[in-house]
Coordinates of all heavy atoms in Angstrom, one line a residue:
M1 N 0.8 -1.2 0.0 CA 0.0 0.1 0.1 C 0.8 1.3 0.0 O 0.6 2.2 -0.7 CB -1.0 -0.1 1.2 CG -1.8 1.2 1.3 SD -3.0 1.2 0.0 CE -4.0 2.5 0.5
D2 N 1.9 1.2 0.9 CA 2.8 2.4 0.9 C 3.5 2.7 -0.4 O 3.6 3.8 -0.8 CB 3.9 2.3 2.0 CG 3.3 2.3 3.4 OD1 2.3 3.0 3.5 OD2 4.0 1.8 4.3
T3 N 3.8 1.7 -1.1 CA 4.5 1.8 -2.4 C 3.5 2.4 -3.4 O 3.9 3.3 -4.2 CB 5.1 0.5 -2.9 OG1 5.9 -0.1 -2.0 CG2 5.7 0.6 -4.2
I4 N 2.3 1.9 -3.5 CA 1.3 2.4 -4.4 C 1.0 3.9 -4.1 O 0.9 4.7 -5.0 CB 0.0 1.6 -4.3 CG1 0.2 0.1 -4.7 CG2 -1.1 2.2 -5.1 CD1 -0.9 -0.8 -4.5
L5 N 0.8 4.3 -2.8 CA 0.6 5.7 -2.4 C 1.8 6.5 -2.8 O 1.6 7.7 -3.3 CB 0.3 5.8 -0.9 CG 0.0 7.1 -0.4 CD1 -1.2 7.7 -1.1 CD2 -0.2 7.1 1.1
N6 N 3.0 6.1 -2.5 CA 4.1 6.9 -2.9 C 4.3 7.1 -4.4 O 4.5 8.2 -4.8 CB 5.4 6.2 -2.3 CG 6.6 7.0 -2.6 OD1 6.7 8.2 -2.2 ND2 7.7 6.5 -3.2
D7 N 4.0 6.0 -5.1 CA 4.0 6.1 -6.6 C 3.0 7.2 -7.0 O 3.3 8.0 -8.0 CB 3.7 4.9 -7.2 CG 4.9 3.8 -7.1 OD1 6.0 4.3 -6.7 OD2 4.7 2.7 -7.3
Y8 N 1.7 7.2 -6.5 CA 0.8 8.1 -6.9 C 1.1 9.5 -6.5 O 1.1 10.5 -7.4 CB -0.6 7.8 -6.1 CG -1.7 8.8 -6.4 CD1 -2.4 8.8 -7.6 CD2 -1.9 9.7 -5.5 CE1 -3.3 9.7 -7.8 CE2 -2.9 10.8 -5.7 CZ -3.6 10.7 -6.8 OH -4.5 11.6 -7.0
I9 N 1.7 9.7 -5.3 CA 2.2 11.1 -4.9 C 3.3 11.5 -5.8 O 3.2 12.7 -6.3 CB 2.6 11.1 -3.4 CG1 1.4 10.9 -2.6 CG2 3.3 12.4 -3.1 CD1 1.7 10.6 -1.1
Q10 N 4.2 10.7 -6.1 CA 5.2 11.1 -7.0 C 4.8 11.5 -8.4 O 5.2 12.4 -9.0 CB 6.4 10.0 -7.2 CG 7.2 9.9 -5.9 CD 8.0 11.0 -5.5 OE1 8.5 11.8 -6.3 NE2 8.2 11.3 -4.2
K11 N 3.9 10.7 -8.9 CA 3.2 11.0 -10.2 C 2.5 12.5 -10.2 O 2.8 13.2 -11.1 CB 2.3 10.0 -10.6 CG 1.6 10.2 -11.9 CD 0.6 9.1 -12.2 CE -0.1 9.5 -13.5 NZ -1.4 8.5 -13.7
E12 N 1.9 12.7 -9.1 CA 1.1 14.0 -9.0 C 2.1 15.1 -8.9 O 1.9 16.2 -9.4 CB 0.2 14.0 -7.9 CG -1.1 13.2 -8.1 CD -1.8 13.6 -9.3 OE1 -2.1 14.8 -9.4 OE2 -2.2 12.6 -10.1
L13 N 3.3 14.9 -8.1 CA 4.2 15.9 -8.0 C 5.0 16.3 -9.3 O 5.6 17.3 -9.4 CB 5.3 15.5 -6.9 CG 4.7 15.4 -5.4 CD1 5.8 14.9 -4.6 CD2 4.3 16.9 -5.0
H14 N 5.0 15.3 -10.2 CA 5.7 15.5 -11.5 C 4.7 15.9 -12.6 O 5.0 15.9 -13.7 CB 6.4 14.2 -11.8 CG 7.6 14.0 -11.0 ND1 7.6 13.5 -9.7 CD2 8.9 14.3 -11.2 CE1 8.6 13.4 -9.3 NE2 9.6 14.0 -10.1
S15 N 3.4 16.3 -12.2 CA 2.4 16.6 -13.2 C 2.6 18.1 -13.7 O 3.3 18.9 -13.1 CB 1.1 16.5 -12.6 OG 0.8 17.5 -11.6
D16 N 2.1 18.3 -14.9 CA 2.2 19.7 -15.5 C 1.5 20.7 -14.6 O 2.0 21.9 -14.5 CB 1.5 19.7 -16.8 CG 2.3 19.0 -17.9 OD1 3.5 18.7 -17.6 OD2 1.8 18.6 -18.9
K17 N 0.4 20.4 -13.9 CA -0.2 21.2 -13.0 C 0.6 21.7 -11.7 O 0.6 22.8 -11.4 CB -1.6 20.7 -12.5 CG -2.6 20.6 -13.5 CD -3.9 20.1 -12.9 CE -5.0 19.9 -13.9 NZ -6.2 19.4 -13.4
F18 N 1.4 20.7 -11.2 CA 2.1 21.0 -10.2 C 3.4 21.8 -10.6 O 3.8 22.6 -9.9 CB 2.6 19.7 -9.4 CG 3.2 19.8 -8.1 CD1 2.3 20.3 -7.0 CD2 4.6 19.8 -7.8 CE1 2.9 20.5 -5.8 CE2 5.1 20.0 -6.5 CZ 4.3 20.4 -5.5
I19 N 4.0 21.6 -11.7 CA 5.0 22.4 -12.2 C 4.6 23.8 -12.4 O 5.2 24.8 -12.1 CB 5.6 21.7 -13.6 CG1 6.3 20.5 -13.2 CG2 6.4 22.7 -14.3 CD1 6.7 19.6 -14.5
A20 N 3.4 24.0 -13.0 CA 2.9 25.3 -13.2 C 2.6 26.0 -11.7 O 2.9 27.2 -11.7 CB 1.5 25.3 -13.9
L21 N 2.2 25.3 -10.8 CA 2.1 25.8 -9.4 C 3.4 26.4 -8.9 O 3.4 27.5 -8.4 CB 1.5 24.8 -8.5 CG 1.3 25.3 -7.0 CD1 0.1 26.3 -7.0 CD2 0.8 24.0 -6.2
I22 N 4.5 25.6 -9.0 CA 5.8 26.0 -8.5 C 6.2 27.2 -9.3 O 6.7 28.1 -8.7 CB 6.7 24.8 -8.6 CG1 6.4 23.8 -7.6 CG2 8.1 25.4 -8.2 CD1 7.2 22.5 -7.6
E23 N 6.0 27.2 -10.6 CA 6.4 28.4 -11.4 C 5.6 29.6 -11.0 O 6.2 30.7 -11.0 CB 6.2 28.0 -12.9 CG 7.2 27.0 -13.4 CD 6.9 26.5 -14.8 OE1 5.8 26.7 -15.3 OE2 7.8 26.0 -15.5
F24 N 4.3 29.5 -10.6 CA 3.5 30.5 -10.2 C 4.1 31.1 -8.9 O 4.3 32.4 -8.8 CB 2.1 30.1 -9.9 CG 1.3 31.0 -9.1 CD1 0.7 32.1 -9.8 CD2 1.1 30.8 -7.8 CE1 0.0 33.0 -9.0 CE2 0.3 31.7 -7.0 CZ -0.3 32.9 -7.6
F25 N 4.6 30.3 -7.9 CA 5.2 30.8 -6.7 C 6.5 31.4 -7.0 O 6.8 32.5 -6.4 CB 5.3 29.6 -5.8 CG 4.1 29.4 -4.9 CD1 3.3 28.3 -5.2 CD2 3.6 30.3 -4.0 CE1 2.1 28.0 -4.6 CE2 2.4 30.0 -3.4 CZ 1.7 28.8 -3.6
I26 N 7.3 30.9 -8.0 CA 8.5 31.5 -8.3 C 8.3 33.0 -8.8 O 8.9 34.0 -8.4 CB 9.3 30.7 -9.3 CG1 9.8 29.5 -8.7 CG2 10.5 31.5 -9.9 CD1 10.4 28.4 -9.6
D27 N 7.3 33.1 -9.7 CA 6.9 34.5 -10.2 C 6.4 35.3 -9.1 O 6.8 36.6 -9.1 CB 5.8 34.3 -11.3 CG 6.3 33.7 -12.6 OD1 7.6 33.6 -12.8 OD2 5.5 33.3 -13.4
R28 N 5.6 34.9 -8.2 CA 5.1 35.7 -7.1 C 6.3 36.2 -6.2 O 6.3 37.3 -5.8 CB 4.1 34.9 -6.2 CG 2.8 34.6 -6.9 CD 1.7 35.7 -6.7 NE 1.5 36.2 -5.3 CZ 0.7 35.9 -4.4 NH1 -0.2 34.9 -4.7 NH2 0.5 36.5 -3.3
Y29 N 7.2 35.3 -5.9 CA 8.3 35.7 -5.1 C 9.1 36.7 -5.8 O 9.8 37.7 -5.2 CB 9.1 34.5 -4.6 CG 8.6 33.9 -3.3 CD1 8.0 32.6 -3.3 CD2 8.8 34.5 -2.1 CE1 7.5 32.1 -2.0 CE2 8.3 34.1 -0.9 CZ 7.6 32.9 -0.8 OH 7.2 32.4 0.3
N30 N 9.4 36.5 -7.1 CA 10.1 37.4 -7.9 C 9.5 38.8 -7.9 O 10.2 39.9 -7.7 CB 10.3 36.9 -9.3 CG 11.4 37.8 -10.1 OD1 12.3 38.0 -9.7 ND2 10.9 38.3 -11.3
D31 N 8.3 38.9 -8.1 CA 7.5 40.1 -8.0 C 7.7 40.9 -6.5 O 7.9 42.0 -6.6 CB 6.0 40.0 -8.3 CG 5.7 39.6 -9.7 OD1 6.6 39.7 -10.6 OD2 4.6 39.1 -10.0
S32 N 7.6 40.0 -5.6 CA 7.7 40.6 -4.2 C 9.0 41.1 -4.0 O 9.3 42.1 -3.4 CB 7.3 39.5 -3.2 OG 6.0 39.1 -3.2
A33 N 10.1 40.3 -4.5 CA 11.5 40.8 -4.4 C 11.7 42.1 -5.1 O 12.4 42.9 -4.5 CB 12.4 39.7 -4.8
N34 N 11.1 42.3 -6.1 CA 11.4 43.5 -6.9 C 10.7 44.7 -6.2 O 11.2 45.8 -6.2 CB 10.7 43.4 -8.3 CG 11.5 42.4 -9.2 OD1 12.7 42.2 -9.0 ND2 10.9 41.9 -10.2
V35 N 9.6 44.4 -5.6 CA 8.9 45.5 -4.8 C 9.8 45.9 -3.6 O 10.0 47.0 -3.3 CB 7.4 45.0 -4.4 CG1 7.0 46.0 -3.4 CG2 6.6 44.9 -5.6
W36 N 10.3 44.8 -2.9 CA 11.1 45.2 -1.7 C 12.3 45.9 -2.1 O 12.8 46.7 -1.3 CB 11.5 43.9 -1.0 CG 10.3 43.1 -0.4 CD1 9.9 41.7 -0.5 CD2 9.3 43.6 0.6 NE1 8.9 41.5 0.2 CE2 8.4 42.7 0.8 CE3 9.0 44.9 1.1 CZ2 7.2 42.8 1.7 CZ3 8.0 45.1 1.9 CH2 7.1 44.1 2.2
D37 N 13.0 45.5 -3.2 CA 14.2 46.2 -3.7 C 13.8 47.6 -4.0 O 14.6 48.5 -3.7 CB 14.7 45.6 -5.0 CG 15.4 44.2 -4.8 OD1 15.9 44.0 -3.6 OD2 15.5 43.5 -5.7
K38 N 12.7 47.9 -4.6 CA 12.3 49.2 -4.9 C 12.2 50.1 -3.7 O 12.5 51.3 -3.8 CB 10.9 49.1 -5.6 CG 10.4 50.5 -6.1 CD 8.9 50.4 -6.7 CE 8.3 51.7 -7.0 NZ 7.0 51.5 -7.7
Y39 N 11.8 49.6 -2.6 CA 11.7 50.3 -1.4 C 12.9 50.3 -0.4 O 12.8 50.7 0.7 CB 10.3 49.9 -0.7 CG 9.1 50.4 -1.4 CD1 8.3 49.5 -2.1 CD2 8.7 51.8 -1.5 CE1 7.3 49.9 -2.9 CE2 7.6 52.1 -2.1 CZ 6.9 51.3 -2.8 OH 5.8 51.7 -3.6
G40 N 13.9 49.6 -1.0 CA 15.1 49.4 -0.1 C 15.1 48.5 1.0 O 15.9 48.6 1.9
L41 N 14.2 47.5 1.0 CA 14.1 46.5 2.1 C 14.8 45.3 1.6 O 14.3 44.3 1.2 CB 12.6 46.3 2.4 CG 11.8 47.6 2.8 CD1 10.3 47.3 2.9 CD2 12.3 48.0 4.2
E42 N 16.2 45.4 1.8 CA 17.1 44.3 1.3 C 16.8 43.0 2.1 O 16.9 41.9 1.4 CB 18.5 44.7 1.5 CG 18.9 46.0 0.6 CD 20.2 46.4 0.8 OE1 21.0 45.7 1.5 OE2 20.6 47.4 0.4
E43 N 16.5 43.0 3.3 CA 16.3 41.8 4.1 C 15.2 41.0 3.5 O 15.2 39.8 3.4 CB 16.2 42.1 5.6 CG 15.8 40.9 6.4 CD 17.0 40.4 7.2 OE1 18.0 41.2 7.2 OE2 16.9 39.3 7.7
K44 N 14.1 41.7 3.2 CA 12.8 41.0 2.7 C 13.1 40.5 1.3 O 12.6 39.5 0.9 CB 11.7 41.9 2.8 CG 11.2 42.2 4.2 CD 10.0 43.1 4.3 CE 9.5 43.3 5.6 NZ 8.7 42.3 6.2
S45 N 13.8 41.3 0.5 CA 14.1 40.9 -0.8 C 15.0 39.7 -0.8 O 14.8 38.8 -1.7 CB 14.8 42.1 -1.5 OG 15.2 41.7 -2.8
K46 N 15.9 39.6 0.1 CA 16.9 38.5 0.2 C 16.0 37.2 0.5 O 16.3 36.1 0.0 CB 17.9 38.7 1.2 CG 18.9 37.7 1.4 CD 20.0 37.9 2.4 CE 21.0 36.8 2.5 NZ 22.0 37.0 3.6
R47 N 15.1 37.3 1.4 CA 14.3 36.2 1.8 C 13.5 35.7 0.5 O 13.5 34.5 0.3 CB 13.3 36.5 2.9 CG 12.5 35.3 3.5 CD 11.7 35.7 4.5 NE 12.3 36.5 5.7 CZ 12.0 37.5 6.2 NH1 10.7 37.9 5.9 NH2 12.6 38.1 7.2
C48 N 13.0 36.5 -0.2 CA 12.3 36.2 -1.5 C 13.2 35.5 -2.5 O 12.9 34.6 -3.1 CB 11.6 37.4 -2.1 SG 10.3 38.1 -1.2
R49 N 14.5 36.1 -2.6 CA 15.4 35.4 -3.5 C 15.8 34.1 -3.1 O 16.0 33.1 -3.8 CB 16.7 36.3 -3.6 CG 16.4 37.7 -4.1 CD 16.2 37.8 -5.6 NE 16.0 39.2 -5.9 CZ 15.1 39.6 -6.9 NH1 14.5 38.7 -7.7 NH2 14.9 40.8 -7.2
N50 N 15.9 33.9 -1.8 CA 16.2 32.5 -1.1 C 15.0 31.6 -1.5 O 15.3 30.4 -1.9 CB 16.3 32.6 0.4 CG 17.6 33.2 0.8 OD1 18.5 33.3 0.0 ND2 17.7 33.6 2.0
A51 N 13.9 32.0 -1.4 CA 12.6 31.1 -1.7 C 12.8 30.8 -3.3 O 12.5 29.7 -3.6 CB 11.4 31.9 -1.5
I52 N 13.1 31.8 -4.1 CA 13.2 31.5 -5.6 C 14.2 30.5 -5.8 O 14.0 29.5 -6.6 CB 13.5 32.8 -6.3 CG1 12.4 33.8 -6.2 CG2 13.9 32.5 -7.8 CD1 12.7 35.2 -6.6
D53 N 15.4 30.6 -5.2 CA 16.5 29.6 -5.4 C 16.0 28.2 -4.9 O 16.2 27.3 -5.7 CB 17.7 30.0 -4.6 CG 18.4 31.3 -5.2 OD1 18.1 31.7 -6.2 OD2 19.2 31.9 -4.3
D54 N 15.4 28.1 -3.7 CA 14.9 26.8 -3.3 C 13.9 26.2 -4.2 O 13.9 25.0 -4.5 CB 14.4 26.9 -1.8 CG 15.3 27.1 -0.8 OD1 16.6 27.0 -1.1 OD2 15.0 27.5 0.4
L55 N 12.9 27.0 -4.6 CA 11.9 26.5 -5.5 C 12.4 26.2 -6.9 O 12.0 25.1 -7.5 CB 10.7 27.5 -5.7 CG 10.0 27.8 -4.4 CD1 9.1 29.0 -4.6 CD2 9.2 26.5 -4.0
K56 N 13.5 26.8 -7.3 CA 14.0 26.5 -8.7 C 14.7 25.2 -8.6 O 14.8 24.4 -9.5 CB 15.0 27.6 -9.1 CG 14.2 28.8 -9.8 CD 15.2 29.9 -10.3 CE 14.4 30.9 -11.0 NZ 15.3 31.9 -11.5
I57 N 15.4 24.9 -7.5 CA 16.1 23.6 -7.2 C 15.1 22.5 -7.3 O 15.2 21.4 -7.9 CB 16.9 23.6 -5.9 CG1 18.1 24.5 -6.1 CG2 17.3 22.2 -5.6 CD1 18.8 24.8 -4.8
I58 N 14.0 22.6 -6.6 CA 12.9 21.6 -6.6 C 12.3 21.4 -8.0 O 12.1 20.3 -8.4 CB 11.9 21.9 -5.5 CG1 12.5 21.8 -4.1 CG2 10.6 21.0 -5.7 CD1 11.6 22.3 -3.1
L59 N 12.1 22.6 -8.6 CA 11.5 22.5 -10.0 C 12.5 21.7 -11.0 O 12.0 20.9 -11.8 CB 11.3 23.9 -10.5 CG 10.5 24.0 -11.9 CD1 9.2 23.4 -11.8 CD2 10.4 25.5 -12.3
S60 N 13.7 22.0 -10.8 CA 14.7 21.3 -11.6 C 14.7 19.8 -11.3 O 14.8 19.0 -12.3 CB 16.1 21.9 -11.6 OG 16.7 21.6 -10.3
K61 N 14.5 19.4 -10.0 CA 14.5 18.0 -9.8 C 13.2 17.3 -10.4 O 13.3 16.2 -10.9 CB 14.3 17.7 -8.2 CG 15.6 18.0 -7.6 CD 15.4 17.7 -6.0 CE 16.7 17.8 -5.2 NZ 16.5 17.4 -3.8
I62 N 12.1 18.1 -10.3 CA 10.9 17.6 -11.0 C 11.0 17.4 -12.4 O 10.6 16.4 -13.0 CB 9.7 18.5 -10.6 CG1 9.3 18.4 -9.1 CG2 8.4 18.1 -11.4 CD1 8.4 19.4 -8.6
K63 N 11.5 18.4 -13.1 CA 11.6 18.3 -14.5 C 12.7 17.3 -15.1 O 12.4 16.7 -16.1 CB 12.1 19.8 -15.1 CG 10.9 20.8 -15.1 CD 11.3 22.1 -15.7 CE 10.0 23.0 -15.7 NZ 10.4 24.3 -16.4
A64 N 13.6 17.0 -14.1 CA 14.6 15.9 -14.4 C 14.0 14.6 -14.1 O 14.6 13.5 -14.4 CB 15.8 16.1 -13.6
G65 N 12.8 14.5 -13.5 CA 12.2 13.2 -13.2 C 12.7 12.5 -12.0 O 12.4 11.4 -11.7
K66 N 13.4 13.3 -11.1 CA 14.0 12.8 -9.8 C 12.8 12.7 -8.8 O 11.9 13.5 -8.8 CB 15.0 13.6 -9.3 CG 16.3 13.6 -10.2 CD 17.4 14.5 -9.7 CE 18.6 14.5 -10.6 NZ 19.7 15.5 -10.0
E67 N 13.0 11.7 -7.9 CA 12.0 11.6 -6.9 C 12.2 12.6 -5.8 O 13.4 13.0 -5.4 CB 12.2 10.2 -6.2 CG 11.1 9.9 -5.2 CD 11.1 8.4 -4.7 OE1 11.1 7.5 -5.5 OE2 11.1 8.3 -3.5
L68 N 11.2 13.3 -5.3 CA 11.3 14.3 -4.3 C 11.3 13.7 -3.0 O 10.6 12.6 -2.6 CB 10.0 15.3 -4.4 CG 10.0 16.1 -5.6 CD1 8.8 17.0 -5.5 CD2 11.2 16.9 -5.9
L69 N 12.2 14.2 -2.1 CA 12.3 13.7 -0.7 C 11.4 14.5 0.2 O 10.9 15.6 -0.1 CB 13.7 13.8 -0.4 CG 14.8 13.0 -1.4 CD1 16.2 13.3 -0.9 CD2 14.5 11.6 -1.4
K70 N 11.4 14.0 1.5 CA 10.7 14.7 2.5 C 11.3 16.1 2.7 O 10.5 17.1 2.9 CB 10.8 13.9 3.8 CG 9.9 14.6 5.0 CD 10.0 13.9 6.2 CE 9.2 14.6 7.4 NZ 9.3 16.0 7.5
E71 N 12.6 16.3 2.6 CA 13.1 17.6 2.9 C 12.7 18.5 1.8 O 12.4 19.7 2.0 CB 14.7 17.4 2.6 CG 15.3 16.7 3.9 CD 15.2 15.2 3.7 OE1 15.1 14.7 2.5 OE2 15.3 14.5 4.7
D72 N 12.5 18.0 0.5 CA 11.9 18.9 -0.6 C 10.5 19.3 -0.3 O 10.2 20.5 -0.5 CB 11.9 18.1 -1.9 CG 13.3 17.7 -2.3 OD1 14.3 18.5 -2.1 OD2 13.5 16.7 -2.9
A73 N 9.7 18.3 0.3 CA 8.4 18.6 0.6 C 8.3 19.7 1.7 O 7.5 20.6 1.7 CB 7.7 17.4 1.1
D74 N 9.2 19.7 2.7 CA 9.3 20.6 3.8 C 9.6 22.0 3.2 O 9.0 23.0 3.7 CB 10.3 20.2 4.8 CG 9.9 19.0 5.6 OD1 8.7 18.6 5.7 OD2 10.8 18.3 6.3
I75 N 10.5 22.0 2.3 CA 10.9 23.4 1.7 C 9.6 23.9 1.0 O 9.4 25.1 1.1 CB 12.1 23.1 0.8 CG1 13.3 22.9 1.6 CG2 12.3 24.5 -0.1 CD1 14.5 22.4 0.8
L76 N 9.0 23.1 0.2 CA 7.9 23.5 -0.6 C 6.8 24.1 0.4 O 6.3 25.2 0.1 CB 7.2 22.4 -1.3 CG 7.9 22.0 -2.7 CD1 7.3 20.8 -3.2 CD2 7.7 23.2 -3.7
V77 N 6.5 23.4 1.4 CA 5.4 23.8 2.4 C 5.8 25.1 3.0 O 5.0 26.1 3.2 CB 5.1 22.7 3.4 CG1 4.3 23.3 4.6 CG2 4.4 21.5 2.8
K78 N 7.2 25.2 3.4 CA 7.6 26.4 4.1 C 7.4 27.6 3.2 O 6.8 28.7 3.7 CB 9.1 26.3 4.4 CG 9.8 27.5 5.0 CD 11.2 27.4 5.3 CE 12.0 27.7 4.1 NZ 13.5 27.6 4.4
W79 N 7.8 27.5 2.0 CA 7.7 28.8 1.1 C 6.3 29.0 0.7 O 5.9 30.2 0.4 CB 8.6 28.7 -0.1 CG 10.0 28.7 0.3 CD1 11.0 27.8 0.1 CD2 10.7 29.8 1.1 NE1 12.2 28.2 0.7 CE2 12.0 29.4 1.2 CE3 10.2 31.0 1.6 CZ2 13.0 30.3 1.8 CZ3 11.2 31.8 2.1 CH2 12.6 31.4 2.3
I80 N 5.5 28.0 0.5 CA 4.1 28.3 0.2 C 3.3 28.9 1.4 O 2.5 29.9 1.2 CB 3.3 26.9 -0.2 CG1 3.9 26.5 -1.6 CG2 1.9 27.1 -0.3 CD1 3.5 25.1 -2.0
E81 N 3.6 28.5 2.6 CA 3.0 29.0 3.8 C 3.4 30.5 3.9 O 2.6 31.3 4.3 CB 3.3 28.2 5.0 CG 2.5 26.9 5.1 CD 3.0 26.2 6.4 OE1 4.0 26.5 6.9 OE2 2.3 25.3 6.7
R82 N 4.7 30.8 3.7 CA 5.2 32.2 3.9 C 4.6 33.1 2.8 O 4.5 34.3 3.1 CB 6.7 32.2 3.7 CG 7.3 31.6 5.0 CD 8.8 32.0 5.1 NE 9.3 31.3 6.4 CZ 10.6 31.3 6.7 NH1 11.4 31.9 5.9 NH2 10.9 30.7 7.9
M83 N 4.1 32.6 1.7 CA 3.6 33.5 0.7 C 2.1 33.8 1.1 O 1.6 34.8 0.7 CB 3.6 32.7 -0.7 CG 3.0 33.6 -1.8 SD 3.7 35.3 -2.0 CE 5.3 34.9 -2.7
G84 N 1.6 33.1 2.0 CA 0.2 33.4 2.6 C -0.9 32.9 1.7 O -2.0 33.6 1.6
V85 N -0.6 31.9 1.0 CA -1.7 31.3 0.1 C -2.5 30.2 0.9 O -2.0 29.6 1.6 CB -1.1 30.7 -1.2 CG1 -2.2 29.9 -2.0 CG2 -0.4 31.8 -2.0

């Protein structure tokens, strides 16, 4: 059962919809970083850039067909929660 569930989850994580979702968050964080830069708030901009870097790493794993680990899931949840969605 665990193998079947894991295979299903991995399949969904590698779907076009999930890829589009991660790309959406990368765009949102990029927009936010640009706004923070505009107002001189470097710390907030840096946090957004860190999110972008983390999300791009995960996106590249997905596009390469690699299996995502629990650590990857934790990173995804962290940045999605911080965006306030």
